[in-house]
């Protein structure tokens, strides 16, 4: 995907992860929750494949 | 949503069942009630039914029942607190649907405080002529219809708003920001920004982690050394931030302790006051002991009045058995009397003229024995008649009531004895004022110590931040020299772009909503105030109102008008939000009308009906005249007893309640 598509994808993905966190707001320890969110975003980011040509452009 | 009926029983001041109906045609309802009769309680009742939660004096309370009602309940017995709201609400297609929401808490009476043992919540929906229980997550349906995050605006307390405006409106701004961020999902963006962080924010954020990963992938010796130094700085800064947090918590704790001690010092009851309370409790015990004596006497008298019956009925039972053996009705012919038998024994001939033989004489002798001095049968009948007469007045419930009263009195004595014990303890623990002052001084000393520590760590943090910055710059330079890490650089760029998106969206939204709200408040103030006032609102929703000289509003009257404009503005803002535009919310407003002058009051009343599709006003002041010659059509008035612990609501406007200032009605 292009960088713009990757940004759009990650905006949606981060929102989705944050919504899940909010739904579990009262059941999970906040520190653990923060770590899970950060790791979740990084994991989603790893799955993003950027077009080589787009990177060069 | 429009509320058509509220029904309740045993809720705080309201011991007995009450039912209020409201029009849903847009006309305003007014509920009158002077201070202390239960106006705030009734205002809070709506929130309890919808959300199961109320706050009295900013404190969440679980004690919903009426104390007078509770006293009438025996120990370990259960009793309910009930609230029902009927409402109508248009569905997504715009068709009005009818609901009934019922909340019921069952309490069990215990020695010191009754406890909730069951909480019931039921939402029913009218389908045709039937009511069907909504079983699929009813709480969520209520949340969709009337979001709890905005509850303080649907059930608005103008007095609290005025108190907060006196404090620069910080609490209102904070809670409004929280509510609006939640409704518009901005809290998600806000938290996302925290989690994304920045490249220099360490290992607990996305960008911080990505940056360090980039450095970790390098095998360059200088980069490894610089990365180690930067990591050290990160840890140092994180540790200092933790220390600073710890200092702030300690300062807050000791500050609260000092404040608490100041209040104790101010309110520490004198020995005289404690003695007065103890004497009052002792006198009450004496009075109750007298009542117990009276009950015991009554019990004795009741027993004495009824015990002969118990005794005689027993004798009668036994006599019946014995006489049953002796008395044979066929031998004592009907009409045969003792006099007749005696007369025949003295005669030689019978009444019929036949001679009385020896054997007949013996028979008469045996009959005579059956009359000593009256017949057993006669006595038996007499007893039986008496027993029947007594039994008509005998009632075991009477005895039981006396006993129950005695037990209840004894419980009251136990409670009063506990009170005396508590007073003794209070006296023991009620450290003298000197000790309290010494404690407060210690708490203040601790505050000073932690403030010193805070300063120390803050300075240290500043220094370490500088070092961290320098080390990061060095690492940045080295990383630039050793070449790009394409994948990580691309990832960092993507996340930076995401961060910029969230940041700009958040700022733009906050600006848009605060500006919309400011404009709405300004517009309403223009209609309600005769003099010009300039409204400003920060993006954190902090409100200030200034006059033409730039001075901030200070008078309670102005604050009162602002509080009405504030709630009107919030409803306007909610109406402008696409996701909420099709929803309708009621406004149940406890209005500070007493702080308004005549013109302000009229102006406020003129604008209020436009705030929401349904408006229910609570007022301690007569605002009837503001509604034109006919006055308010829908009026309810709260009445209370002299002790102010049992209230009820009646339909109708009663001008007398406003002339009886400060007395019971």
């Amino acid at each position: 995907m292009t960088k713009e598509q990757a940004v759009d994808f990650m905006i949606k993905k981060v929102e989705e992860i944050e919504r899940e966190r909010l739904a579990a707001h009262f059941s999970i320890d906040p520190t653990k929750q923060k770590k899970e969110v950060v790791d979740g975003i990084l994991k989603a980011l790893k799955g993003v494949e950027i077009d080589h040509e787009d990177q060069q452009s | 949503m429009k509320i058509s009926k509220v029904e309740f029983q045993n809720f705080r001041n309201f011991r007995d069942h009450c039912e209020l109906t409201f029009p849903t045609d847009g006309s305003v309802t007014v509920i009158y009630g002077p201070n202390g009769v239960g106006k705030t309680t009734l205002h809070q009742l709506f929130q309890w039914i919808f959300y199961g939660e109320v706050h009295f004096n900013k404190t969440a309370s679980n004690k919903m029942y009426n104390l007078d009602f509770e006293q009438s309940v025996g120990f370990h017995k259960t009793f309910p607190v009930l609230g029902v709201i009927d409402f109508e609400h248009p569905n997504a297609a715009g068709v009005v649907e009818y609901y009934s929401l019922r909340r019921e808490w069952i309490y069990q009476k215990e020695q010191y405080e009754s406890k909730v043992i069951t909480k019931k919540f039921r939402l029913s929906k009218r389908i045709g002529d039937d009511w069907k229980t909504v079983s699929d997550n009813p709480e969520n349906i209520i949340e969709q219809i009337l979001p709890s995050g905005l509850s303080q605006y649907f059930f608005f307390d103008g007095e609290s708003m005025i108190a907060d405006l006196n404090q620069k409106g910080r609490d209102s701004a904070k809670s409004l920001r929280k509510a609006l961020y939640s409704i518009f999902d901005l809290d998600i963006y806000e938290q996302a920004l925290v989690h994304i962080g920045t490249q220099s924010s360490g290992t607990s954020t996305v960008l911080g982690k990505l940056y360090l990963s980039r450095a970790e992938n390098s095998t360059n010796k200088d980069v490894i050394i610089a990365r180690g130094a930067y990591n050290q700085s990160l840890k140092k800064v994180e540790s200092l931030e933790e220390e600073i947090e710890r200092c702030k918590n300690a300062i807050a704790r000791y500050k609260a302790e000092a404040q608490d001690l100041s209040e104790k010092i101010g309110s520490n009851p004198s020995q005289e006051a404690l003695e007065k309370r103890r004497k009052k409790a002792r006198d009450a015990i004496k009075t109750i002991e007298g009542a117990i004596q009276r009950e015991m006497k009554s019990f004795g008298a009741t027993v004495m009045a009824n015990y002969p019956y118990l005794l005689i009925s027993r004798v009668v039972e036994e006599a019946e058995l014995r006489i049953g053996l002796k008395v044979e009705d066929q031998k004592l012919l009907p009409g045969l009397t003792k006099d007749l038998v005696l007369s025949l024994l003295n005669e030689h001939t019978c009444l019929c003229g036949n001679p009385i033989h020896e054997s007949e004489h013996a028979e008469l002798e045996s009959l005579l024995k059956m009359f000593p001095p009256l017949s057993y049968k006669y006595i038996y009948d007499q007893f039986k008649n008496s027993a029947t007469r007594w039994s008509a007045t005998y009632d075991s419930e009477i005895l039981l009531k006396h006993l129950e009263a005695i037990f209840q009195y004894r419980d009251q004595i136990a409670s009063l004895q506990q009170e005396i014990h508590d007073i003794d303890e209070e006296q023991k623990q009620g450290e003298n004022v000197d000790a309290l002052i010494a404690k407060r001084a210690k708490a203040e000393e601790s505050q000073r110590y932690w403030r010193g520590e805070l300063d120390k760590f803050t300075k240290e943090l500043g220094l370490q931040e500088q070092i961290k910055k320098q080390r990061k710059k060095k690492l940045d330079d080295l990383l630039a020299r050793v070449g790009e890490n394409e994948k990580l650089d691309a990832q960092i760029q993507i996340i930076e772009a995401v961060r910029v998106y969230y940041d700009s969206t958040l700022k733009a939204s906050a600006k848009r909503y605060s500006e919309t709200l400011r404009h709405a408040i300004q517009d309403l103030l223009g209609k309600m105030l005769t003099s010009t006032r300039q409204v400003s609102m920060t993006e954190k929703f902090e409100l200030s109102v200034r006059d033409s000289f730039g001075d901030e509003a200070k008078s309670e009257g102005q604050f009162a008008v602002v509080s009405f404009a504030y709630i009107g503005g919030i409803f306007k803002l909610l109406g402008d939000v696409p996701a909420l535009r099709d929803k309708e919310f009621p406004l149940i407003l406890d209005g500070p009308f007493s702080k308004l002058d005549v013109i302000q009051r009229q102006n406020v009343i003129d604008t209020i009906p436009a705030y929401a599709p349904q408006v229910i006003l609570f007022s301690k002041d007569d605002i009837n005249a503001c509604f034109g010659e006919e006055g308010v059509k829908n009026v309810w008035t709260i009445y209370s007893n002299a002790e102010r612990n049992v209230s009820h609501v009646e339909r109708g406007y009663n001008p007398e309640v406003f002339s009886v200032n400060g007395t019971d009605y």
Side-chain angles (χ1 to χ4, degrees):
Chain A
M1 62 177 85
T2 65
K3 221 177 265 175
E4 285 73 24
Q5 285 170 331
V7 171
D8 285 346
F9 171 80
M10 282 310 294
I11 286 170
K12 289 191 182 98
K13 196 71 198 169
V14 170
E15 191 172 331
E16 190 184 300
I17 291 168
E18 289 291 348
R19 275 188 200 282
E20 275 175 26
R21 177 195 62 83
L22 204 69
H25 187 249
F26 299 108
S27 56
I28 303 175
D29 163 39
T31 314
K32 192 179 163 198
Q33 212 176 37
K34 186 178 178 182
K35 192 180 177 308
E36 281 178 5
V37 170
V38 171
D39 290 347
I41 295 171
L42 286 168
K43 195 179 166 190
L45 193 64
K46 270 186 188 169
V48 175
E49 288 294 333
I50 307 290
D51 244 0
H52 184 64
E53 286 157 33
D54 181 67
Q55 280 184 54
Q56 286 180 333
S57 62
Chain B
M1 168 202 268
K2 289 172 189 160
I3 297 166
S4 55
K5 189 179 84 176
V6 63
E7 192 182 337
F8 47 95
Q9 186 168 18
N10 188 27
F11 183 81
R12 306 281 291 196
N13 296 40
F14 301 92
R15 184 185 61 192
D16 304 318
H17 177 266
C18 285
E19 188 178 306
L20 282 77
T21 54
F22 307 105
T24 55
D25 60 359
S27 54
V28 173
T29 299
V30 176
I31 300 173
Y32 284 119
N35 289 336
V37 298
K39 189 161 53 75
T40 306
T41 301
L42 191 55
H43 189 247
Q44 293 272 357
L45 168 80
F46 290 88
Q47 294 179 71
W48 178 70
I49 300 175
F50 280 118
Y51 309 113
E53 198 176 282
V54 294
H55 290 84
F56 293 101
N57 298 324
K58 289 192 173 180
T59 311
S61 174
N62 230 7
K63 200 187 277 183
M64 301 301 160
Y65 50 82
N66 179 270
L67 293 174
D68 194 59
F69 185 94
E70 187 212 22
Q71 276 192 353
S72 69
V73 177
F75 283 107
H76 311 303
K77 294 272 168 61
T78 59
F79 61 92
V81 173
L82 172 73
V84 178
I85 282 180
D86 288 358
F87 65 90
E88 54 183 64
H89 183 70
N91 63 15
V95 179
V96 174
E97 294 181 320
Y98 298 89
Y99 293 88
S100 183
L101 180 66
R102 181 189 172 95
R103 191 176 292 278
E104 190 176 9
W105 285 7
I106 310 291
Y107 286 83
Q108 183 163 40
K109 185 170 174 177
E110 298 298 347
Q111 182 72 28
Y112 298 113
E113 192 174 82
S114 296
K115 291 194 173 77
V116 184
I117 53 166
T118 315
K119 290 183 177 180
K120 296 178 185 174
F121 179 75
R122 192 179 73 206
L123 179 67
S124 308
K125 186 175 174 182
R126 198 170 83 189
I127 296 168
D129 292 334
D130 297 328
W131 286 92
K132 295 267 167 64
T133 302
V134 179
S135 52
D136 188 18
N137 206 349
E139 284 92 350
N140 194 40
I141 292 176
I142 294 299
E143 188 62 35
Q144 293 298 318
I145 293 174
L146 210 60
S148 58
L150 294 169
S151 66
Q152 60 181 310
Y153 306 109
F154 306 142
F155 308 98
F156 192 70
D157 179 1
E159 294 283 355
S160 296
M161 177 76 200
I162 291 176
D164 187 47
L165 284 169
N166 267 317
Q167 307 291 321
K168 307 255 177 207
R170 285 194 194 104
D171 284 352
S172 307
K174 221 167 150 184
S175 52
L176 179 62
R177 184 178 184 272
K178 194 179 168 195
L180 294 181
Y181 270 43
S182 168
I183 288 295
F184 302 134
D185 282 349
L186 298 182
D187 51 350
I188 287 178
Y189 287 19
E190 197 175 35
Q191 279 302 302
L193 283 171
V194 171
H195 294 144
I196 288 170
T198 60
Q199 288 189 48
S200 56
S201 57
T203 53
S204 60
T205 65
V206 176
L207 279 171
K209 271 196 168 183
L210 284 174
Y211 177 78
L212 283 168
S213 299
R214 192 173 180 276
E216 273 164 16
N217 285 352
S218 176
T219 52
N220 181 292
K221 195 183 164 192
D222 291 338
V223 170
I224 293 168
I225 294 168
R227 190 189 67 203
Y230 177 60
N231 255 333
Q232 267 186 349
S233 274
L234 276 176
K235 280 177 190 160
K236 186 77 186 164
V237 165
E238 274 173 20
S239 145
L240 283 166
E241 280 170 347
E242 277 172 22
E243 289 291 350
I244 285 171
E245 194 59 30
R246 202 161 62 90
C247 292
K248 283 180 180 170
N249 288 339
I251 291 166
R253 197 171 62 244
Y254 285 114
K255 193 178 173 187
E257 191 183 321
Q259 273 174 353
D260 189 39
L261 285 163
S262 291
E263 279 172 25
K264 270 189 186 170
I265 291 164
S267 64
N268 200 28
S270 64
Q271 295 294 319
E272 193 186 346
L274 286 172
E275 197 49 55
K276 207 172 168 184
R277 272 171 58 198
R278 190 185 284 110
K279 187 178 179 304
K280 199 178 165 190
R282 279 184 182 149
D283 288 348
I285 288 177
K286 270 184 196 163
T287 310
I288 296 169
E289 278 172 348
I292 289 179
Q293 288 295 325
R294 285 194 295 279
E295 281 297 335
M296 286 172 87
K297 272 184 188 166
S298 299
F299 177 79
T302 311
V303 168
M304 287 304 288
N306 293 289
Y307 189 66
Y309 156 70
L310 301 171
L311 186 67
I312 288 163
S313 62
R314 183 86 182 154
V315 170
V316 168
E317 269 176 35
E318 285 179 12
E320 192 173 23
L321 283 171
R322 290 181 188 178
I323 294 165
L325 297 172
K326 274 192 175 180
V327 178
E328 294 172 16
D329 285 345
Q330 69 273 19
K331 286 185 180 175
L332 279 172
L333 296 170
L336 186 66
T337 64
K338 191 178 178 184
D339 290 343
L340 179 62
V341 175
L342 280 170
S343 158
L344 287 172
L345 278 171
N346 292 327
E347 298 294 333
H348 296 287
T349 54
C350 181
L351 293 171
C352 58
N354 292 327
I356 299 171
H357 300 293
E358 201 58 34
S359 61
E360 287 163 339
H361 205 266
E363 182 67 21
L364 283 169
E365 287 284 352
S366 74
L367 280 173
L368 189 61
K369 284 178 186 170
M370 296 176 82
F371 294 104
L374 289 168
S375 79
Y376 285 121
K377 175 83 171 99
Y378 177 81
I379 293 167
Y380 170 72
D381 287 342
Q382 289 292 311
F383 275 145
K384 196 174 178 183
N385 285 340
S386 299
T388 310
R389 200 171 64 245
W390 274 318
S391 71
T393 56
Y394 172 66
D395 183 358
S396 63
E397 287 294 319
I398 295 171
L399 286 176
L400 214 60
K401 273 186 182 170
H402 288 306
L403 290 172
E404 278 176 357
I406 290 167
F407 291 144
Q408 280 196 357
Y409 283 138
R410 284 188 175 160
D411 284 340
Q412 285 175 18
I413 287 178
S415 167
L416 285 161
Q417 279 168 340
Q418 180 63 39
E419 196 180 321
I420 292 172
H421 175 75
D422 291 345
I423 293 168
D424 292 343
E425 287 297 307
E426 198 178 333
Q427 205 164 18
K428 270 188 218 163
Q429 292 175 4
E431 307 109 304
N432 58 46
V433 176
D434 289 343
L436 289 171
I437 290 170
K439 267 191 176 180
R440 185 176 59 183
K442 205 175 168 188
E444 283 167 349
E445 177 58 36
S446 298
Q447 266 191 80
R448 276 193 291 278
Y449 168 77
W450 285 106
R451 277 188 207 285
E453 290 288 286
L454 178 65
D455 285 346
K456 190 175 85 187
F457 288 128
T458 308
K459 274 180 197 159
E460 178 69 14
L461 180 66
L463 187 69
Q464 288 300 329
E465 287 278 15
Q466 284 297 321
I467 296 170
K468 188 182 116 180
K469 209 174 165 184
Q470 285 164 8
R471 287 178 176 176
K472 184 171 181 293
K473 193 175 177 305
K474 190 176 177 186
L475 187 59
D476 283 344
D477 293 344
L478 284 165
L479 284 170
R481 255 184 266 156
V482 296
E484 291 183 350
N485 184 324
E486 286 180 4
K487 192 164 185 184
L488 272 169
D489 286 348
Q491 285 180 339
I492 288 172
Q493 280 174 25
I494 290 165
I495 294 298
E496 285 284 11
V498 172
R499 194 177 67 81
V500 168
Y501 169 80
Y502 280 132
D503 192 46
S504 56
T505 308
L506 195 62
K507 280 180 182 155
S509 301
K511 192 176 179 186
R512 190 169 72 246
Y513 296 133
S514 58
E515 185 52 31
T516 307
L517 185 55
R518 187 203 68 77
H519 191 266
I521 294 172
Q522 180 76 69
D523 186 43
L524 283 167
L525 276 185
K527 289 174 185 163
M528 293 191 281
L529 285 174
T530 44
S531 50
T532 311
R533 288 289 179 275
Q534 197 59 42
V535 177
S536 64
M537 180 164 271
T538 66
E539 284 165 21
K540 287 183 174 176
F541 301 99
E542 285 162 347
L543 173 76
S544 67
V545 180
R546 293 172 190 277
D547 63 17
S548 49
F549 299 103
D551 293 331
E552 271 197 77
K554 284 188 179 74
S555 79
E556 286 218 312
Q558 285 178 6
F559 283 153
V561 176
V562 172
S563 78
F564 284 106
Y566 185 81
I567 189 62
I570 288 170
F571 270 75
K572 175 92 173 49
L573 177 64
L574 296 178
D576 284 347
V577 177
L580 302 176
R581 197 174 289 152
D582 296 334
K583 291 188 177 181
E584 49 182 32
F585 302 115
L587 171 59
I588 313 334
L589 171 63
D590 192 352
F593 294 102
S594 59
K595 297 191 169 65
L596 305 174
D597 64 32
V598 179
I599 298 169
Q600 287 170 343
R601 193 179 289 191
Q602 186 61 57
N603 291 343
V604 165
I605 296 292
D606 288 344
T607 61
I608 275 182
Y611 290 4
Q614 183 180 42
V615 179
I616 299 170
L617 296 176
F618 282 73
S619 177
K620 63 179 176 186
D621 304 282
D622 191 352
I623 51 173
N624 228 37
C626 301
F627 288 84
E629 282 181 14
E630 289 181 8
V632 197
K633 283 181 196 162
N634 321 295
V635 182
W636 295 88
T637 304
I638 307 171
Y639 296 87
S640 179
N641 64 349
E643 290 80 21
R644 294 281 201 249
N645 60 352
V646 180
S647 304
H648 72 282
V649 191
E650 285 180 23
R651 183 188 281 279
Y653 166 68
N654 178 4
E656 283 177 25
V657 301
F658 305 105
S659 57
V660 192
N661 192 20
T663 56
D664 316 316
Y665 67 90

